Amino acid sequence: MLLLVLIAQSWLAYLDSSLVYIGLTEQDISFRTDYTIRDDYRFTVVDELLADPLGIVNFVMDMDVFFQKASEEDMVKKSISLYDLDISYERYLFLQALTKSYQSLTSALADTSHGLRATFEELTLYSPELTTSIEEERENEKHYDSLVSYLKENAKTIDYSELFKAGQFLLEAAHGYESWLKKVSRQSQSMPGVSGNILYYKEYEFGEVIIGDTGKNIYAKDFAVIIDIGGDDSYQCGGQMSGIHLIIDQAGDDVYEAEDYAIACGYFGVSVLVDEQGDDIYRARNYSLGCGVFGLGCLIDRAGSDTYFGDSFTQGAGGFGIGLLDDKEGNDLYQGALHAQGFASTYGVGILTDHIGNDRYIILEKYIDEIRYLDHYLSLSQGFSIGFRPDLSAGLGLLLEGEGNDYYLSDIFGQGGAYWYGIGAVVDNAGNDTYVSYQYAQGAGVHIALGALVDRAGDDNYVSKGVSQGCGHDLAFGVLYDISGDDSYVAFDLSQGAGNANGVGLLVDESGDDAYSVKRASNTQGFGDFRREYGSIGLLIDIQGKDTHFSGKDATLWKKGEYGLGIDWE
Amino acid sequence: MIFFLLALNQGIDLADLYNNATTLLVQFQTEQESAFARLVSLGQDSVYADTTIAFLVSNFDTKIARERHRMKDIFKEIGESAIANIVENIEYRGSDEEARSLKQTLWVLGEIGSEKIIEPVARFIDDKDWQIRSSAYTALGKSKSRNAHSFILKGLRDPVDIVRKSAYYALSQIAASNDLVLLLDGLDDHFYGVRYAAMQGLLNLGPEISADLIIQVGKHDVRDYYILKVLCQLEIPEQDLFALAESVRPETRLLIYEMCKDKAVLNRFTENENNIFLRNYLLERMKESQ
């Protein structure tokens, strides 16, 4: 009877009823926001969710519903809303919007500290090589500390209201270009730096505007605005180190190639790329493909099966800015190495939204995790956010996946996780998905942060070594919430509803016939350790289905540690 | 200064030892362990102790968590002889508002323990920073001395959950029978850290309080859980405990079932139990005992 009543309620009702067995209430799952002195760059929502960590599930699911349905303008607006800035702007026609974007950007950066650019680059790609001596380690630490101090002090020299307004104007131009295109006087011509036929060229206050025709064009030079009305084109982009950049490609299988700071990269600038059709290839390195660093970068691909190659800070990555990648359909491949695929650093929002298709999210093994391993690599990707401990909070990194059978691969730190006063999450709506990682992944909060992996439907496979699959480590919250499907969970230790060092870890599987496998039964599947003279909380809750557990079976419960509980409700 | 020069003269590079002892890099594990042992040894040495401890204390302000943890471990090994030198620095809060040096001082003093830390630590129980207050109460508890009692009482009503937890932890370490009411109050706290500490305090009071606890059962669900946790760990007649099974809600009854070893009693519980989890639990126990 109790079961019937509970089924009609949300998973939170089951959580409440489970907590009773270990002498807890929902109120006990809460963290303070002032374990360290609050820096100026922390998002309000981080504080709110630290105080009410269970709210992260609804928060990220709401964000997903919004981003799966919203217009592109609303996506940007929603991202900006996290900054609590007072921004109002009026609507303008195409050329006016571009001018306004340029003016806002100029105003935003008018008082910017000159050293900011180099400092951030050095910090985000900090220590990619293996340190060979302790002396070097100490020197690195001192240097790192001075860089962070500089960043903390000087990042506020940017006017973020004006910066994001510049992004909104640019996106408005991207949406309002067609009426201008119809009216513009076209004349076939050639242009240095461009091969193929050009229909229009003019220089404006904000930069050069060019229109390419329906044939193949190769753009070997950067313009402020490129509108290409068809053909399989090649964009050999240079660095977008400042200013406004807009590319609209209406049709064709296109190739976008660049090195660093390019292809929808808002780097001390704003940049929007809209590709309407075709199976496209995007190939770049660092700071690319929907990246905002002291800026706003937005890559929108509306159709086709696409391939995205990047290295670091790529594919929906933001730090002191907003980076968005929105892919509407097709079977896509996303490949990066670090800080990628829905990643946020301090004061950053990084969101990768993919709506339909069987997609692959791959993080390559490139940047060794020298602190922990000689044979594992930092990913910090796939719905992940990290700050600069102990000085600067993290931001909001989201990977929002719609329909399709998807494959996710990362190594250390990934797949719905956050580190130091931030939020990182993956939400996957449908399909039989596979998540493979090694550590700090699949719903992992690390050091005062919140990580979530929410999978709504499909028969899914989760594989990770440890500190994963609903794990909170050090006053942090991690949750893996799987709503339906016959799922398989495989881990080695400290996973599947594990709390460590006063963290809270939660694995909730609502329905389906599931299998839970672990190596170390003592600290998994509902485990909480003891630290700072009180307990950590870990819960594994399986609500329905015929399941196989290492630690129990259907309609049983088990305890591990003072505040660790596994419970299979039927 | 003289000793520092002496140390240099003897070829002892404290900075180098410190760096090696606190490194995080996995490839330097061997260096780390030997440097750690050397620093402990120097910290206990009659000639080098002052210089070594002063050097370590000068690093208390570090922003790097692993250095703080490692220093705590070093001082735990050095022991009580380090207290006087550490206390000399206790008024220094640190280079910024985080007050890292003071937090580290209180942590290290607590980990060393001893009655000698009570007076210097108690100066900080009214600090404006809740983490300082929390650290002070924890350290007082680790002194394991009843002389800390009067200081600890104030923290039981602190508005910050974690500070109350630390104060209750401290009380739990030195509790006497006249603390019973205070500890029972702690079981009603909305923060589980406080409830757990209060429970430990009750447990430390021993079986003589069992009658006082039994009469409390049935008044409040959450409180019942913690009272039963205590009763189940005290050496009281099992029949007294089993009689409580019907007074508490099913979820709390599990605690009684967990400690029950008598097959006949388990059987009786099984026959009367309607909660499916508890029934399955009991059936499993019955199966194990066959």
Side-chain angles (χ1 to χ4, degrees):
Chain A
M1 186 59 182
L2 174 65
L3 193 61
L4 290 174
V5 172
L6 288 172
I7 285 169
Q9 300 176 42
S10 75
W11 65 276
L12 285 169
Y14 286 91
L15 175 70
D16 283 342
S17 301
S18 303
L19 288 170
V20 178
Y21 285 98
I22 47 176
L24 297 176
T25 69
E26 226 181 89
Q27 203 179 356
D28 287 312
I29 299 178
S30 178
F31 300 103
R32 295 188 66 83
T33 59
D34 61 348
Y35 297 107
T36 55
I37 291 168
R38 194 182 193 283
D39 59 278
D40 297 336
Y41 302 102
R42 192 187 309 166
F43 291 134
T44 306
V45 69
V46 173
D47 282 344
E48 289 169 353
L49 290 175
L50 279 170
D52 175 24
L54 297 169
I56 191 176
V57 173
N58 280 342
F59 171 74
V60 299
M61 287 173 76
D62 289 349
M63 287 292 280
D64 175 65
V65 168
F66 186 91
F67 273 71
Q68 294 292 346
K69 291 180 180 168
S71 69
E72 288 141 5
E73 279 181 315
D74 284 342
M75 284 187 196
V76 171
K77 253 189 218 169
K78 186 78 170 174
S79 304
I80 293 171
S81 70
L82 293 162
Y83 288 81
D84 297 328
L85 298 170
D86 185 20
I87 301 178
S88 60
Y89 76 109
E90 295 166 17
R91 295 195 167 276
Y92 293 93
L93 297 174
F94 179 64
L95 289 175
Q96 290 171 302
L98 290 168
T99 304
K100 295 296 284 186
S101 175
Y102 177 76
Q103 289 169 347
S104 286
L105 180 63
T106 305
S107 169
L109 302 178
D111 299 319
T112 304
S113 300
H114 295 298
L116 211 45
R117 190 181 295 251
T119 303
F120 190 80
E121 286 164 29
E122 202 169 338
L123 272 172
T124 51
L125 286 176
Y126 187 75
S127 196
E129 304 297 331
L130 185 66
T131 304
T132 54
S133 70
I134 293 170
E135 290 73 23
E136 197 180 338
E137 179 195 18
R138 296 300 151 147
E139 283 308 308
N140 279 351
E141 280 167 2
K142 280 182 207 159
H143 185 51
Y144 178 91
D145 204 36
S146 69
L147 291 173
V148 172
S149 298
Y150 182 88
L151 188 63
K152 188 175 186 176
E153 195 53 43
N154 291 280
K156 56 185 79 161
T157 58
I158 287 176
D159 182 340
Y160 292 92
S161 294
E162 285 297 322
L163 185 69
F164 295 144
K165 214 194 290 187
Q168 285 182 302
F169 282 130
L170 191 62
L171 198 62
E172 195 177 306
H175 289 149
Y177 80 97
E178 281 179 293
S179 55
W180 175 80
L181 191 61
K182 280 178 194 161
K183 291 178 203 162
V184 75
S185 169
R186 305 181 187 191
Q187 187 178 11
S188 288
Q189 55 190 289
S190 62
M191 172 68 52
V194 181
S195 77
N197 203 26
I198 295 303
L199 300 175
Y200 176 88
Y201 172 83
K202 192 169 180 183
E203 202 169 336
Y204 292 88
E205 177 195 6
F206 53 81
E208 299 166 290
V209 177
I210 188 168
I211 301 175
D213 79 350
T214 52
K216 180 179 177 69
N217 293 104
I218 299 172
Y219 299 93
K221 179 191 165 192
D222 281 319
F223 297 88
V225 179
I226 299 174
I227 299 171
D228 189 286
I229 61 173
D232 298 340
D233 306 304
S234 173
Y235 296 83
Q236 294 162 9
C237 309
Q240 297 171 346
M241 303 293 279
S242 60
I244 68 167
H245 293 270
L246 173 64
I247 295 176
I248 296 166
D249 189 288
Q250 290 190 321
D253 298 337
D254 308 304
V255 178
Y256 299 84
E257 290 180 293
E259 291 289 313
D260 300 331
Y261 316 105
I263 313 181
C265 169
Y267 188 77
F268 293 90
V270 291
S271 180
V272 173
L273 189 161
V274 181
D275 188 288
E276 302 276 5
Q277 292 175 27
D279 298 338
D280 308 304
I281 296 170
Y282 300 87
R283 190 189 302 277
R285 284 169 47 79
N286 305 305
Y287 306 101
S288 62
L289 310 181
C291 158
V293 175
F294 304 107
L296 186 148
C298 185
L299 195 165
I300 298 157
D301 188 289
R302 295 202 173 123
S305 294
D306 309 301
T307 309
Y308 301 85
F309 296 109
D311 192 317
S312 172
F313 243 88
T314 185
Q315 299 160 20
F320 297 95
I322 296 169
L324 304 176
L325 194 166
D326 185 70
D327 186 291
K328 305 284 188 210
E329 60 173 61
N331 302 324
D332 308 305
L333 167 66
Y334 300 87
Q335 183 179 293
L338 186 75
H339 302 147
Q341 300 168 9
F343 167 79
S345 174
T346 300
Y347 210 47
V349 175
I351 301 177
L352 192 167
T353 310
D354 186 291
H355 298 256
I356 296 171
N358 302 322
D359 306 305
R360 284 167 293 159
Y361 299 89
I362 309 294
I363 299 300
L364 299 175
E365 295 180 339
K366 181 172 180 187
Y367 297 104
I368 197 158
D369 183 6
E370 62 174 22
I371 289 175
R372 280 161 285 260
Y373 298 104
L374 298 173
D375 57 354
H376 282 280
Y377 297 81
L378 289 170
S379 297
L380 297 157
S381 296
Q382 298 179 350
F384 202 89
S385 182
I386 188 167
F388 298 96
R389 182 187 179 194
D391 298 284
L392 296 167
S393 301
L396 172 69
L398 297 177
L399 200 171
L400 307 173
E401 236 298 334
E403 298 170 22
N405 303 321
D406 308 306
Y407 179 79
Y408 303 82
L409 176 69
S410 66
D411 196 359
I412 307 288
F413 295 119
Q415 299 175 6
Y419 184 114
W420 203 252
Y421 294 105
I423 299 167
V426 174
V427 180
D428 188 295
N429 283 282
N432 303 322
D433 308 306
T434 299
Y435 302 86
V436 179
S437 196
Y438 192 76
Q439 190 166 320
Y440 304 116
Q442 299 169 6
V446 185
H447 300 302
I448 323 173
L450 304 125
L453 195 169
V454 177
D455 190 292
R456 289 178 192 267
D459 301 337
D460 308 306
N461 289 296
Y462 301 89
V463 180
S464 190
K465 187 262 177 188
V467 203
S468 299
Q469 298 175 4
C471 182
H473 168 64
D474 189 18
L475 301 163
F477 181 77
V479 57
L480 197 172
Y481 176 45
D482 187 292
I483 298 177
S484 68
D486 300 337
D487 308 305
S488 165
Y489 302 88
V490 178
F492 192 96
D493 55 10
L494 205 61
S495 297
Q496 298 182 10
N500 189 51
N502 310 115
V504 179
L506 187 57
L507 194 168
V508 179
D509 188 293
E510 277 206 10
S511 64
D513 300 338
D514 310 305
Y516 300 85
S517 172
V518 290
K519 169 66 178 172
R520 191 162 294 155
S522 60
N523 68 354
T524 52
Q525 301 192 339
F527 165 77
D529 84 339
F530 227 76
R531 202 72 66 88
R532 302 183 182 99
E533 296 78 43
Y534 73 110
S536 316
I537 301 170
L539 293 117
L540 188 161
I541 300 173
D542 187 288
I543 297 173
Q544 283 183 301
K546 291 179 180 170
D547 310 301
T548 307
H549 299 272
F550 193 89
S551 308
K553 56 187 181 183
D554 290 337
T556 62
L557 58 77
W558 57 92
K559 291 182 180 180
K560 297 182 187 182
E562 191 70 33
Y563 295 112
L565 177 77
I567 183 164
D568 186 312
W569 281 85
E570 68 163 48
Chain B
M1 187 62 175
I2 292 166
F3 285 112
F4 186 67
L5 290 172
L6 180 64
L8 281 178
N9 198 34
Q10 296 295 314
I12 299 167
D13 186 341
L14 290 171
D16 191 48
L17 284 172
Y18 178 82
N19 286 345
N20 286 353
T22 60
T23 183
L24 197 62
L25 303 175
V26 290
Q27 64 265 39
F28 302 120
Q29 193 69 38
T30 312
E31 289 93 324
Q32 188 198 81
E33 285 164 9
S34 63
F36 181 94
R38 182 81 173 119
L39 281 172
V40 171
S41 160
L42 287 168
Q44 292 169 331
D45 187 283
S46 57
V47 176
Y48 297 114
D50 288 352
T51 311
T52 305
I53 291 168
F55 175 80
L56 291 171
V57 168
S58 72
N59 283 289
F60 274 10
D61 196 35
T62 178
K63 289 168 81 172
I64 299 168
R66 72 162 195 280
E67 292 183 22
R68 297 197 294 269
H69 279 269
R70 194 65 67 189
M71 280 195 281
K72 175 261 296 176
D73 294 337
I74 290 169
F75 277 110
K76 266 181 86 168
E77 291 287 319
I78 294 172
E80 273 192 46
S81 62
I83 291 174
N85 284 332
I86 296 169
V87 168
E88 270 182 31
N89 188 57
I90 202 166
E91 295 300 330
Y92 177 61
R93 298 180 73 90
S95 57
D96 60 29
E97 287 178 84
E98 294 285 359
R100 290 189 189 91
S101 184
L102 178 53
K103 286 176 196 166
Q104 181 72 12
T105 300
L106 295 170
W107 188 24
V108 166
L109 288 174
E111 290 298 315
I112 294 172
S114 159
E115 194 156 299
K116 292 178 196 163
I117 70 166
I118 293 174
E119 185 280 323
V121 165
R123 290 180 224 159
F124 297 95
I125 60 170
D126 292 319
D127 198 87
K128 62 181 190 304
D129 182 337
W130 67 265
Q131 293 192 77
I132 298 292
R133 299 200 300 279
S134 177
S135 300
Y137 285 119
T138 302
L140 288 173
K142 294 195 177 208
S143 76
K144 308 267 189 194
S145 167
R146 190 72 187 165
N147 291 338
H149 188 262
S150 60
F151 301 113
I152 289 166
L153 294 179
K154 191 171 184 185
L156 305 180
R157 296 183 302 279
D158 198 283
V160 175
D161 294 352
I162 295 174
V163 180
R164 285 199 310 283
K165 176 273 298 176
S166 300
Y168 265 99
Y169 162 75
L171 183 62
S172 76
Q173 299 303 297
I174 59 167
S177 55
N178 57 0
D179 294 316
L180 179 65
V181 174
L182 292 171
L183 291 167
L184 284 170
D185 284 348
L187 298 183
D188 296 329
D189 201 280
H190 71 257
F191 180 47
Y192 75 104
V194 175
R195 300 198 295 274
Y196 178 82
M199 179 189 78
Q200 285 298 321
L202 290 168
L203 192 57
N204 291 343
L205 292 182
E208 57 268 32
I209 62 159
S210 56
D212 295 309
L213 293 184
I214 286 170
I215 59 169
Q216 297 286 332
V217 173
K219 292 179 180 170
H220 187 275
D221 289 338
V222 176
R223 176 190 263 225
D224 282 352
Y225 177 88
Y226 290 91
I227 289 175
L228 274 190
K229 284 279 284 187
V230 177
L231 288 171
C232 287
Q233 294 173 78
L234 294 176
E235 290 176 8
I236 62 171
E238 288 191 345
Q239 288 313 311
D240 291 353
L241 196 56
F242 298 157
L244 296 173
E246 290 175 10
S247 316
V248 298
R249 61 179 169 177
E251 293 88 342
T252 308
R253 276 207 294 278
L254 178 62
L255 294 169
I256 296 171
Y257 298 163
E258 282 175 331
M259 63 86 55
C260 178
K261 293 182 184 70
D262 187 297
K263 195 176 167 186
V265 179
L266 279 173
N267 194 39
R268 200 180 75 225
F269 282 143
T270 308
E271 285 170 2
N272 295 328
E273 186 53 73
N274 293 318
N275 177 296
I276 187 167
F277 297 114
L278 300 190
R279 193 173 164 78
N280 284 342
Y281 175 82
L282 287 165
L283 287 170
E284 198 66 30
R285 290 286 308 278
M286 293 285 287
K287 205 190 293 177
E288 284 169 10
S289 64
Q290 278 169 0

